[in-house]
Amino acid sequence: MTPSATDAIMATAQTTQPQQAEPFVSIRNLRVGFRSGRDQYVQAVNGVDLDVARGEVVALIGESGSGKSVTLRSILRLHAEKRTDMSGSIRVGGQEVLTMAPNTLADFRGLVASMIFQEPLLALDPVFTVGDQIAETILRHESVSRADAMARALALFEQVRIPSPERRLKAYPHEMSGGMRQRAMIALALACRPQLLLADEPTTALDATVQIQILLLLRELQRDLGLSVVFVTHDIGAAVEVANRIAVMYAGQIVEEGPVEAVIREPKHPYTQALLYSRAHGRMNKGDRLKTIAGAPPDLSEPIQGCPFAPRCEFAMPVCRGESPVETQLPGYHRARCFLLSEGAQ
Ligand code: SF4
């Protein structure tokens, strides 16, 4: 990709942190499939490998249905177990999540890793005040008094900059604005001082100005608390604003992953390139049209032969329709899954 198409979105890019020897999160060959009642089977995630170092922010980007949220929710095992098949390995802080006993999993959720959801109105309980919900979360995991738990809830509200925090602790979710609810959701997620924060499109439901405020708050909290963050978004600008590394997902696979600078300035996979050219950028002239990605993502309930992006890829070769590309490791902790990168490819 030419620099002209990327300058604007790189203006706020984060400094890339080097990879560490022992990642805090290590996902290997994760496969997640869903069974439906009509003999349908959807292979939503198909062999994902991903590492997240301590204090690192990784953004998962891609179109709807690419497997981003399914991957994220798998880290907390939030999928309905009766209709979900999961295999591979998810290790967080040295613990294997996929085989965790129920009691250990209950402690893991909240104490080690917690989630910020896209729509806090659905995630928060409508019949309890937000203060009570935060205090209950603390009391469930820690031996502290209710007064201490409420004091922590107040401190968290101050930390996420909710105005008039003492009054807002007594509010019900429907009495708050969207931005304030999302701040309350972040406070709830941080209640038990987790080391890993998972954020599933945390700004999608918000107005543009509030989105920026929430992104800046997340970035600040991540730095202050040294959190590892995995962040799902379809907004590349948001990913650049918050993340150290970007993983691009398509059809349940990571097709490209690397430091923000590398992926945005020199995307190697045709899908990443198409995603970047399909958004507004700084050197567009008046009247220029955005490029679109022709076609639609594949139906994941059907077997996929070859590269899943082949029907939409302007560079597709005969081999792409018959064989699956393997990952190519590129310099600078950058990798991509495309035959164009294979040795000897034209
Ligand atoms: Fe395009 Fe082939 Fe690369 Fe797939 S493997 S992205 S079809 S060039």
Side-chain angles (χ1 to χ4, degrees), residues 269-271 307-311 313-317 319-321 323 325 337-341:
H269 195 282
Y271 178 61
C307 171
F309 191 55
C313 180
E314 58 181 299
F315 306 106
M317 304 169 281
V319 66
C320 305
R321 300 185 195 284
E323 294 176 34
R337 191 185 285 267
C338 173
F339 282 120
L340 291 172
L341 303 170

Side-chain angles (χ1 to χ4, degrees), residues 188-260:
L188 182 62
L190 296 176
C192 293
R193 306 184 179 104
Q195 299 156 74
L196 172 65
L197 196 58
L198 308 170
D200 191 1
E201 307 241 22
T203 59
T204 302
L206 303 173
D207 294 342
T209 51
V210 183
Q211 284 185 12
I212 293 166
Q213 292 168 10
I214 295 293
L215 284 176
L216 292 175
L217 174 66
L218 279 175
R219 193 168 73 183
E220 187 183 311
L221 290 169
Q222 183 273 327
R223 285 180 181 164
D224 289 351
L225 303 174
L227 297 166
S228 302
V229 176
V230 186
F231 169 62
V232 162
T233 184
H234 62 267
D235 180 347
I236 295 172
V240 169
E241 183 67 40
V242 175
N244 305 113
R245 286 192 297 124
I246 288 180
V248 182
M249 290 197 69
Y250 189 80
Q253 297 181 328
I254 291 177
V255 295
E256 181 159 6
E257 189 259 335
V260 171

Side-chain angles (χ1 to χ4, degrees), residues 26-288:
S26 177
I27 299 176
R28 288 291 173 273
N29 196 23
L30 178 67
R31 293 171 59 84
V32 184
F34 298 117
R35 281 170 266 119
S36 84
R38 290 169 295 164
D39 292 335
Q40 204 181 40
Y41 194 84
V42 175
Q43 191 66 56
V45 173
N46 190 8
V48 159
D49 293 339
L50 184 70
D51 288 342
V52 185
R54 285 184 187 274
E56 186 176 46
V57 183
V58 175
L60 297 178
I61 67 170
E63 291 166 286
S64 297
S66 60
K68 316 181 293 292
S69 293
V70 175
T71 300
L72 192 79
R73 287 162 184 250
S74 298
I75 299 172
L76 286 183
R77 267 175 56 193
L78 293 180
H79 305 300
E81 300 213 341
K82 279 189 178 165
R83 63 178 192 92
T84 308
D85 294 328
M86 294 178 72
S87 63
S89 169
I90 300 176
R91 294 183 69 77
V92 179
Q95 299 183 81
E96 175 58 59
V97 176
L98 295 191
T99 55
M100 226 171 235
N103 285 350
T104 312
L105 183 62
D107 282 342
F108 173 79
R109 294 172 177 161
L111 285 175
V112 179
S114 62
M115 175 87 85
I116 302 169
F117 295 94
Q118 181 183 130
E119 181 38 271
L121 198 53
L122 300 177
L124 293 167
D125 193 324
V127 300
F128 293 100
T129 66
V130 283
D132 279 342
Q133 292 182 57
I134 294 174
E136 280 306 318
T137 301
I138 294 169
L139 290 168
R140 197 180 311 140
H141 290 290
E142 296 179 33
S143 304
V144 295
S145 68
R146 183 159 193 89
D148 285 347
M150 285 307 283
R152 276 253 298 276
L154 178 62
L156 284 160
F157 264 35
E158 288 166 350
Q159 193 171 22
V160 300
R161 301 216 193 80
I162 290 181
S164 309
E166 284 187 59
R167 183 162 60 86
R168 298 292 181 195
L169 277 178
K170 296 175 188 144
Y172 291 88
H174 71 272
E175 294 174 322
M176 301 177 122
S177 67
M180 212 178 294
R181 270 197 299 270
Q182 194 56 289
R183 286 175 192 268
M185 181 89 219
I186 294 170
L188 182 62
L190 296 176
C192 293
R193 306 184 179 104
Q195 299 156 74
L196 172 65
L197 196 58
L198 308 170
D200 191 1
E201 307 241 22
T203 59
T204 302
L206 303 173
D207 294 342
T209 51
V210 183
Q211 284 185 12
I212 293 166
Q213 292 168 10
I214 295 293
L215 284 176
L216 292 175
L217 174 66
L218 279 175
R219 193 168 73 183
E220 187 183 311
L221 290 169
Q222 183 273 327
R223 285 180 181 164
D224 289 351
L225 303 174
L227 297 166
S228 302
V229 176
V230 186
F231 169 62
V232 162
T233 184
H234 62 267
D235 180 347
I236 295 172
V240 169
E241 183 67 40
V242 175
N244 305 113
R245 286 192 297 124
I246 288 180
V248 182
M249 290 197 69
Y250 189 80
Q253 297 181 328
I254 291 177
V255 295
E256 181 159 6
E257 189 259 335
V260 171
E261 295 91 334
V263 174
I264 298 297
R265 285 202 189 279
E266 291 191 56
K268 298 298 185 191
H269 195 282
Y271 178 61
T272 314
Q273 293 165 2
L275 274 183
L276 290 170
Y277 279 121
S278 65
R279 71 187 300 280
H281 53 80
R283 301 281 177 91
M284 289 183 77
N285 296 313
K286 193 173 179 185
D288 283 355

